[in-house]
């Protein structure tokens, strides 16, 4: 059978971070988690991408949707927060970072196709998680996003408890990512974790064979 | 001396910008305004001279609302002050739109000061002939008080005064232990200071404009309610040995 085009599919398909992303608050901080698969159609173009992007020292965002759109929004907001924090003379609030992301997502909602979950720690509000899907802004105790999130809504709704400790939250995030990555074709690779509290942000990478296994794995 | 004061873009040989100094003189010709920061809020008092009996009471306000949690008291050319209050309002509004929370007062006063300063650089425009005092209160930063003058600098204060009797007012303010007072106590003291510095001989009638923002108003800047203002004025008049129609005793306490 003759192929219609001599070019491989991944050159013409849009590059998406198919993704599973998650962020959760605990008393005194937040935990963010993501997978590492970047796909262009059926091809995995990057199997180790870190989708947890720094916006400021203690504010990170998790990228999903179109890779270019998400990265560009994160870079712009990182710049704006740098300027803002110098002008006001103190660390920016998580709410400010989320508002900046929301302003871009809403203004260009027709052209962009990315969803960023913003999470971090500030001295006024402690650990906070904000959802900015489609240009809305909403604070939630935890949030999941990306194509893999559909497979784990049931799990997170059932397993989430209020007032979990930092370690419980980290385990919760790792379990969720592992389940999503095993069912969603667009999520996979390794799991990246970032834990943010008053002292700073701690990044961690969990390799594929170190992830928890569940039924049928 | 003669030709160095014609425009703001010229220094004098001894390093002064005369236009800016003349602008400050315009502020000194205006009646007094004071702002004091206490333990749980900020209180403004303005001696508003009534130039004609035909004026409607409460017109020509000298205290403005810049945002829900920020108030501004002015002295100097009122028209300049009004246009700058619009600038301040826009800054506060844009900040909220961009960053999703109340503008910090230090940042607001720096932005307005930067704007005022821009008008001291060129010969095509004149400097603004007014000073203002900004006050705000919020849960996290507590009460804040900043003053901006025509040269375009801003400082934070516990108490400050602008206008013709600012020296006398400052002396009175320094006597207060404002860090230990609440807004309710401070309102009476502010009224008293305005009455003290008012010159009965040179300026006849005046209206006392009082406003506050603090825990007592839940963080909202507003004019002091009429009954509290009346009570404060009574206290102020009673503190004067030579005051007119002195009612000696205090009325029964105000209920909130």
């Amino acid at each position: 059978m003759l192929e219609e085009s001599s070019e491989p599919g991944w050159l013409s398909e849009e590059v998406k971070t198919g993704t599973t992303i998650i962020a959760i608050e605990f008393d005194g901080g937040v935990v963010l988690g993501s997978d590492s698969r970047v796909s262009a159609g059926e091809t995995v173009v990057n199997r180790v991408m870190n989708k947890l992007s720094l916006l400021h020292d203690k504010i990170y965002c998790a990228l999903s949707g179109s890779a270019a759109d998400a990265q560009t929004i994160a870079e712009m907001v990182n710049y704006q927060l740098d300027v803002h924090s110098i002008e006001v003379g103190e660390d920016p609030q998580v709410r400010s970072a989320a508002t900046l992301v929301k302003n871009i997502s809403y203004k260009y909602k027709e052209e962009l196709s990315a969803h960023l979950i913003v999470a971090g720690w500030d001295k006024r509000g402690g650990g906070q998680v904000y959802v900015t899907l489609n240009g809305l802004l909403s604070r939630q105790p935890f949030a999941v996003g990306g194509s893999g999130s559909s497979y784990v809504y049931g799990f997170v709704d059932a397993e989430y408890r209020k007032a979990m400790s930092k370690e419980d939250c980290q385990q919760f995030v790792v379990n969720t990512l592992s389940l999503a990555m095993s069912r969603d074709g667009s999520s996979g690779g390794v799991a990246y974790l970032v834990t943010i509290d008053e002292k700073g942000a701690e990044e961690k990478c969990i390799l594929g064979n170190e992830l928890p296994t569940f039924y049928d794995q | 001396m003669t030709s160095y004061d014609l425009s703001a873009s010229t220094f004098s040989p001894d390093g002064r910008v005369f236009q800016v100094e003349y602008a400050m003189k315009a502020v000194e010709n205006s009646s007094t305004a004071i702002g004091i920061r206490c333990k749980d809020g900020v209180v403004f008092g303005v001696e508003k001279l009534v130039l004609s009996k035909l004026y409607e009471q409460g017109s020509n306000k000298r205290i403005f609302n810049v945002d829900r949690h920020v108030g501004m008291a002015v002295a100097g050319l009122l028209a300049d002050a009004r246009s700058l209050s619009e600038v301040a309002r826009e800054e506060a509004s844009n900040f909220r739109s961009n960053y999703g929370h109340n503008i910090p007062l230090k940042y607001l006063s720096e932005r307005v000061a930067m704007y005022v300063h821009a008008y001291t650089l060129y010969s095509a425009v004149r400097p603004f002939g007014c000073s203002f005092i900004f006050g705000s209160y919020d849960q996290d930063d507590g009460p804040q008080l900043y003053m901006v003058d025509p040269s375009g600098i801003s400082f934070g204060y516990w108490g400050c005064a602008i206008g013709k009797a600012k020296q006398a007012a400052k002396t009175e303010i320094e006597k207060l232990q404002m860090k230990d007072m609440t807004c309710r106590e401070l309102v009476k003291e502010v009224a008293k200071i305005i009455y003290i510095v008012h010159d009965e001989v040179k300026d006849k009638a005046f209206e006392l404009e009082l406003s506050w923002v603090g825990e007592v108003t839940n963080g909202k800047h507003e004019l002091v309610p009429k009954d509290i203002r009346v009570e404060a004025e009574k206290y102020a008049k009673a503190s004067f040995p030579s005051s007119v129609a002195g009612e000696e005793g205090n009325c029964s306490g105000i209920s909130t």
Side-chain angles (χ1 to χ4, degrees):
Chain A
M1 253 196 13
L2 281 175
E3 279 191 346
E4 289 202 2
S5 151
S6 55
E7 271 191 348
W10 52 266
L11 278 176
S12 47
E13 293 281 345
E14 196 201 348
V15 175
K16 289 178 149 275
T17 54
T19 309
T20 309
I21 50 175
I22 174 171
I24 178 168
E25 291 173 10
F26 60 89
D27 182 21
V30 292
V31 180
L32 291 100
S34 81
D35 73 310
S36 68
R37 179 170 293 180
V38 180
S39 48
E42 298 305 308
T43 317
V44 175
V45 292
N46 185 341
R47 56 186 167 87
V48 287
M49 172 165 170
N50 189 342
K51 299 172 192 176
L52 301 177
S53 202
L54 181 139
L55 293 182
H56 201 75
D57 298 343
K58 294 178 194 145
I59 307 176
Y60 272 67
C61 69
L63 315 173
S64 74
S66 152
D69 290 353
Q71 279 187 349
T72 306
I73 297 175
E75 271 174 31
M76 285 168 66
V77 173
N78 172 262
Y79 166 77
Q80 290 170 351
L81 277 180
D82 274 349
V83 174
H84 174 63
S85 67
I86 291 173
E87 284 186 329
V88 290
E90 58 179 23
D91 278 349
Q93 295 185 29
V94 185
R95 195 172 28 164
S96 302
T99 306
L100 288 169
V101 170
K102 177 268 286 175
N103 286 342
I104 300 171
S105 304
Y106 182 74
K107 189 168 180 191
Y108 299 104
K109 77 196 303 256
E110 302 304 324
E111 291 105 312
L112 294 173
S113 139
H115 172 213
L116 274 64
I117 297 179
V118 178
W121 181 91
D122 65 44
K123 65 177 192 247
R124 275 160 213 262
Q128 296 152 71
V129 170
Y130 289 88
V131 160
T132 66
L133 181 63
N134 285 333
L136 70 70
L137 178 63
S138 168
R139 182 177 168 188
Q140 298 179 182
F142 72 90
V144 292
S147 59
S149 65
S150 326
Y151 302 95
V152 289
Y153 271 112
F155 175 77
V156 297
D157 285 344
E159 289 296 307
Y160 175 76
R161 280 156 293 123
K162 279 193 270 203
M164 284 200 278
S165 70
K166 177 167 92 165
E167 290 70 26
D168 284 345
C169 285
Q170 287 170 326
Q171 195 55 51
F172 179 80
V173 165
V174 164
N175 288 345
T176 313
L177 287 173
S178 177
L179 285 165
M181 281 154 70
S182 72
R183 285 292 184 180
D184 179 27
S186 307
S187 301
V190 306
Y192 285 104
L193 242 71
V194 169
T195 309
I196 309 176
D197 61 17
E198 191 178 359
K199 299 190 221 90
E202 194 195 307
E203 298 193 8
K204 201 163 155 205
C205 173
I206 303 176
L207 298 182
N209 59 354
E210 291 162 11
L211 284 171
T213 51
F214 296 89
Y215 172 75
D216 218 8
Q217 287 173 296
Chain B
M1 199 74 149
T2 35
S3 57
Y4 303 119
D5 64 348
L6 293 176
S7 82
S9 64
T10 313
F11 275 106
S12 74
D14 51 348
R16 298 150 73 177
V17 181
F18 280 110
Q19 278 298 309
V20 173
E21 294 187 16
Y22 295 163
M24 301 211 230
K25 290 223 177 80
V27 177
E28 272 161 43
N29 286 339
S30 136
S31 63
T32 320
I34 64 174
I36 308 184
R37 173 183 161 191
C38 64
K39 183 162 68 167
D40 63 353
V42 171
V43 179
F44 288 138
V46 177
E47 171 205 13
K48 198 172 66 177
L49 298 179
V50 175
L51 299 170
S52 158
K53 289 206 178 77
L54 296 173
Y55 278 154
E56 190 185 0
Q57 207 201 33
S59 61
N60 287 339
K61 284 210 182 337
R62 290 193 26 207
I63 300 182
F64 301 92
N65 245 322
V66 167
D67 197 345
R68 186 181 182 275
H69 65 303
V70 178
M72 172 174 144
V74 306
L77 301 177
L78 199 47
D80 286 8
R82 283 208 187 115
S83 96
L84 277 165
S85 77
E86 280 304 307
V87 168
R89 284 168 182 160
E90 239 182 274
E91 282 291 332
S93 166
N94 284 339
F95 186 94
R96 188 188 291 280
S97 178
N98 288 331
Y99 301 106
H101 63 88
N102 287 348
I103 188 168
L105 194 66
K106 179 164 196 281
Y107 182 70
L108 171 66
S109 77
E110 277 170 11
R111 295 285 295 183
V112 175
M114 205 166 34
Y115 188 91
V116 167
H117 170 251
Y119 282 72
T120 67
L121 296 169
Y122 310 105
S123 58
V125 293
R126 63 162 175 81
F128 285 97
C130 54
S131 290
F132 10 89
I133 313 177
F134 287 110
S136 84
Y137 177 83
D138 82 29
Q139 287 280 12
D140 304 300
D141 296 325
Q144 301 280 321
L145 183 66
Y146 281 85
M147 201 253 285
V148 177
D149 73 10
S151 67
I153 47 173
S154 88
F155 282 114
Y157 290 87
W158 276 95
C160 63
I162 48 181
K164 55 171 64 148
K166 71 175 188 213
Q167 274 309 116
K170 273 190 195 149
T171 317
E172 292 301 317
I173 292 174
E174 278 166 20
K175 293 181 192 163
L176 296 175
Q177 296 291 339
M178 66 275 288
K179 294 185 195 183
D180 303 320
M181 295 170 80
T182 64
C183 271
R184 285 188 194 280
E185 296 160 3
L186 191 55
V187 154
K188 293 196 251 182
E189 297 301 329
V190 165
K192 181 171 145 200
I193 294 175
I194 295 287
Y195 270 84
I196 291 175
V197 304
H198 172 66
D199 187 339
E200 280 288 336
V201 175
K202 286 206 201 122
D203 310 309
K204 305 285 164 52
F206 81 99
E207 241 180 72
L208 171 64
E209 224 175 297
L210 275 179
S211 79
W212 58 2
V213 58
E215 228 177 282
V216 65
T217 64
N218 251 323
K220 178 166 182 266
H221 174 258
E222 51 191 30
L223 291 178
V224 167
K226 184 160 178 212
D227 54 343
I228 300 183
R229 180 168 50 81
V230 161
E231 186 73 22
E233 286 187 281
K234 246 189 206 132
Y235 171 85
K237 287 180 191 152
S239 313
F240 268 105
S242 58
S243 107
V244 186
E247 264 161 298
E248 288 307 322
N250 265 336
C251 279
S252 54
I254 321 157
S255 54
T256 38

